């Protein structure tokens, strides 16, 4: 099998690495890729948002399967174009990708499927904002009702901060979504879905705030760990049975059946799981912590979801233990990051088994040196028999990487390791 992966972040680096390690995968090509992915796969340029361009590249590279990583190409219909060209594609149609691209669509599907989620109101003009804010609180959840890579969300107990973010989103030309605050620890459960068939991966937890102790602004994700020692298997089963399967069935009933990875972001409270958001693709950085634990070769898994044979796939096999991914971010991220800094250090060379450095925002400078080229620059993953070992492995390797001005969280997975999370 020859696979073309679309995307350029650490998530795609993790996908490419797992596919390249699969003996049944003869070749992996990634487009547009990044400087780190180039070490594991042929990297070619592409306009990832253009269905025609992706189809052309899939033909040129004789791809049997196209895996679309990010949400934007999916929302724009790249998977439809690939399938229309007769090539298998892991990723939902544009109609199904509305589960992430349109929060109103997602809420409608959840209401019809009887799935618990936050109460929400969309506001599209500044004149309605204050009255709407008055119907929420004491914690306000203010979202950009468009694709904003996680950074469009502000969760705050400060009404002025909520109002300012909402006004900025409206000024940017997007509606604002106000939501009631869901309390309880958050879980990311990624499910392979084809139509009504749902196969969950290991649950993971993202750390969305920039600073230790969940301080600071929201980001695209500063680190993740898997699995979740505090989440009983019955809760994962409930998430599949009460959330993901009903949503998949509702989408099939509406004529937009889902194919690919359906990401359920949830809060777990005393009543059980409630949906914070759905995404139409692998999550970032959770994928970088989940895939190292997957023992089943990835190629056949993605192909089964793409070609409709998911129900016949043998149960997924997982390695025992845990994985932790820590994001190394550029100076000033999540605001406009400084780029062009040289990345160096022994940690970039092949590291000890069970650790990996995945590239997110990197490039080669004119002199061939590795430089930062985005807000989230590198992801360092460690694995181990338990969270403590996995954390130690990740942070030991991260300590051997230099990026001027960089910052990272020091507490990824720490609360779970210390038993401070319960449901
Ligand atoms: N982990 C957050 C996201 O992928 O959107």
């Amino acid at each position: 099998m020859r696979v073309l992966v679309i995307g350029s972040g650490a998530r795609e680096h993790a996908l490419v690495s797992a596919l390249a390690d699969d003996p049944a995968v003869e070749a992996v090509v990634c487009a547009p890729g990044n400087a780190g992915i180039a070490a594991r796969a042929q990297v070619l340029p592409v306009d990832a948002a253009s269905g025609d361009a992706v189809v052309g590249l899939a033909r040129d590279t004789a791809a049997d399967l196209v895996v679309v990583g990010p949400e934007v190409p999916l929302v724009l219909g790249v998977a439809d174009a690939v399938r229309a060209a007769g090539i298998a594609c892991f990723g939902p149609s544009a109609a199904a990708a509305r589960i992430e691209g349109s929060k109103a669509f997602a809420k409608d599907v959840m209401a019809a499927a009887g799935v618990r989620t936050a109460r929400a109101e969309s506001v599209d003009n500044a004149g309605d904002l204050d009255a709407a804010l008055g119907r929420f609180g004491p914690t306000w959840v203010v979202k950009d009702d468009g694709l904003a890579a996680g950074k469009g969300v502000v969760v705050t107990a400060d009404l002025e901060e909520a109002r300012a973010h909402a006004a900025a989103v409206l000024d940017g030309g997007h509606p604002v979504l106000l939501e009631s605050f869901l309390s309880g620890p958050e879980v990311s459960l990624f499910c392979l879905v084809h139509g009504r068939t749902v196969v969950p991966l290991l649950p993971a937890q993202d750390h969305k705030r920039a600073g230790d102790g969940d301080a600071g602004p929201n980001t695209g994700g500063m680190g993740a760990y898997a699995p979740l020692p505090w989440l009983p298997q019955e809760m994962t089963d409930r998430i599949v049975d009460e959330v993901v399967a009903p949503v998949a069935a509702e989408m099939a009933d509406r004529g937009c059946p889902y194919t690919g990875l359906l990401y359920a972001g949830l809060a777990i409270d005393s009543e059980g799981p409630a949906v914070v958001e759905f995404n139409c693709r692998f999550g970032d950085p959770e994928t970088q912590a989940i895939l190292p634990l997957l023992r089943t070769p990835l190629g056949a898994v993605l192909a089964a979801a793409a070609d409709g044979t998911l129900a016949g796939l043998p149960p997924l096999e997982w390695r025992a233990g845990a994985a932790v991914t820590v994001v190394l971010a550029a100076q000033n991220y999540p605001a406009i990051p400084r780029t062009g800094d040289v990345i160096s250090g022994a940690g970039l060379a092949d590291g000890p088994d069970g650790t990996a450095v995945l590239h997110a925002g990197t490039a080669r400078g004119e002199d061939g040196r590795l430089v930062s080229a985005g807000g989230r620059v590198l992801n360092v993953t460690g694995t181990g028999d338990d969270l403590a070992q996995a954390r130690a492995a990740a942070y030991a390797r991260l300590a051997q990487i230099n990026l001027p001005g960089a910052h990272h969280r020091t507490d990824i997975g720490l609360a779970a390791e210390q038993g401070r999370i319960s449901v």
Side-chain angles (χ1 to χ4, degrees), residues 11 150 188 206 208 220-221 263 277 279 281-286:
R11 166 185 53 206
S188 300
D206 190 2
K208 294 202 174 79
Y263 165 147
E277 63 179 359
N279 293 317
R281 35 83 195 170
F282 278 99
D284 186 350
E286 298 97 311

Side-chain angles (χ1 to χ4, degrees), residues 247-275:
V247 162
E250 173 64 23
M251 292 182 75
D253 288 346
R254 287 178 180 219
C256 54
Y258 200 91
T259 297
L261 195 291
L262 185 54
Y263 165 147
L266 310 122
I268 311 293
D269 65 15
S270 55
E271 290 175 49
V275 173

Side-chain angles (χ1 to χ4, degrees), residues 64-92:
D64 304 299
L65 173 68
V66 176
V67 177
V68 182
E71 61 276 18
V72 171
L74 293 165
V75 168
L76 294 175
V78 165
D80 305 76
V82 172
R83 278 193 279 273
I87 302 167
C89 187
F90 183 86

Side-chain angles (χ1 to χ4, degrees), residues 56-361:
L57 188 61
R59 287 196 174 121
D60 290 348
T61 56
D64 304 299
L65 173 68
V66 176
V67 177
V68 182
E71 61 276 18
V72 171
L74 293 165
V75 168
L76 294 175
V78 165
D80 305 76
V82 172
R83 278 193 279 273
I87 302 167
C89 187
F90 183 86
S93 65
R98 286 180 296 165
I99 197 79
E100 176 168 1
S102 163
K103 295 190 171 66
F105 174 80
K107 290 285 179 194
D108 198 50
V109 168
M110 284 187 268
V115 168
R116 273 184 80 215
T117 184
R119 178 173 67 85
E121 259 185 62
S122 182
V123 179
D124 59 12
N125 77 82
D128 295 338
L129 185 57
D130 276 341
L133 285 166
R135 292 190 282 275
F136 290 84
T139 298
W140 286 267
V141 180
V142 183
K143 295 185 176 177
D144 183 335
D145 199 5
L147 294 176
K151 288 178 286 182
V153 184
V154 163
V155 180
T156 180
D158 178 345
L159 176 58
E160 280 316 309
E161 190 187 358
R163 184 183 287 120
H165 181 62
V169 171
L170 289 170
D171 281 351
H174 293 169
V176 171
L177 198 74
L178 302 180
E179 289 191 353
S180 58
F181 177 67
L182 295 171
S183 60
E186 290 199 0
V187 173
S188 300
L189 188 68
F190 299 170
C191 295
L192 302 159
V193 175
H194 185 95
R196 293 166 201 273
T197 305
V198 175
V199 175
L201 307 185
L202 289 182
Q205 190 178 52
D206 190 2
H207 294 59
K208 294 202 174 79
R209 300 281 187 158
D212 282 358
D214 291 329
N218 253 49
T219 69
M222 292 299 288
Y225 64 96
L228 308 180
W230 47 268
L231 191 75
Q233 179 60 41
E234 306 85 72
M235 192 59 79
T236 301
D237 297 342
R238 277 187 68 183
I239 296 169
V240 172
D241 295 345
E242 296 177 18
V243 175
V244 185
V247 162
E250 173 64 23
M251 292 182 75
D253 288 346
R254 287 178 180 219
C256 54
Y258 200 91
T259 297
L261 195 291
L262 185 54
Y263 165 147
L266 310 122
I268 311 293
D269 65 15
S270 55
E271 290 175 49
V275 173
V276 176
E277 63 179 359
F278 276 108
N279 293 317
C280 65
R281 35 83 195 170
F282 278 99
D284 186 350
E286 298 97 311
T287 301
Q288 294 86 296
I290 292 171
L291 290 184
L293 300 173
L294 180 64
R295 200 190 288 280
T296 308
L298 185 64
V301 171
L302 300 185
D307 69 15
T309 58
L310 189 58
L313 191 72
L316 297 178
E317 289 180 30
W318 297 97
R319 296 188 174 88
V324 171
T325 295
V326 183
V327 171
L328 185 68
Q331 180 167 320
N332 209 33
Y333 178 80
I336 296 169
R338 191 173 82 185
T339 57
D341 284 305
V342 173
I343 310 163
S344 61
L348 295 175
D350 283 348
D353 278 356
T355 66
V357 174
L358 300 167
H359 291 225

Side-chain angles (χ1 to χ4, degrees), residues 372-384:
S372 58
R376 291 188 291 176
V377 180
L378 294 173
N379 288 190
V380 182
T381 296
T383 57

Side-chain angles (χ1 to χ4, degrees), residues 357-419:
V357 174
L358 300 167
H359 291 225
T362 67
R364 292 278 165 201
E366 282 174 11
D367 56 4
R369 288 196 295 180
L370 190 66
V371 295
S372 58
R376 291 188 291 176
V377 180
L378 294 173
N379 288 190
V380 182
T381 296
T383 57
D385 291 344
D386 54 25
L387 265 177
Q389 276 189 14
R391 273 175 43 78
Y395 280 109
R397 188 142 180 210
L398 182 68
Q400 295 175 37
I401 297 174
N402 306 314
L403 172 63
H407 62 98
H408 66 271
R409 283 184 62 158
T410 66
D411 63 348
I412 304 301
L414 182 61
E417 179 194 322
Q418 295 177 337

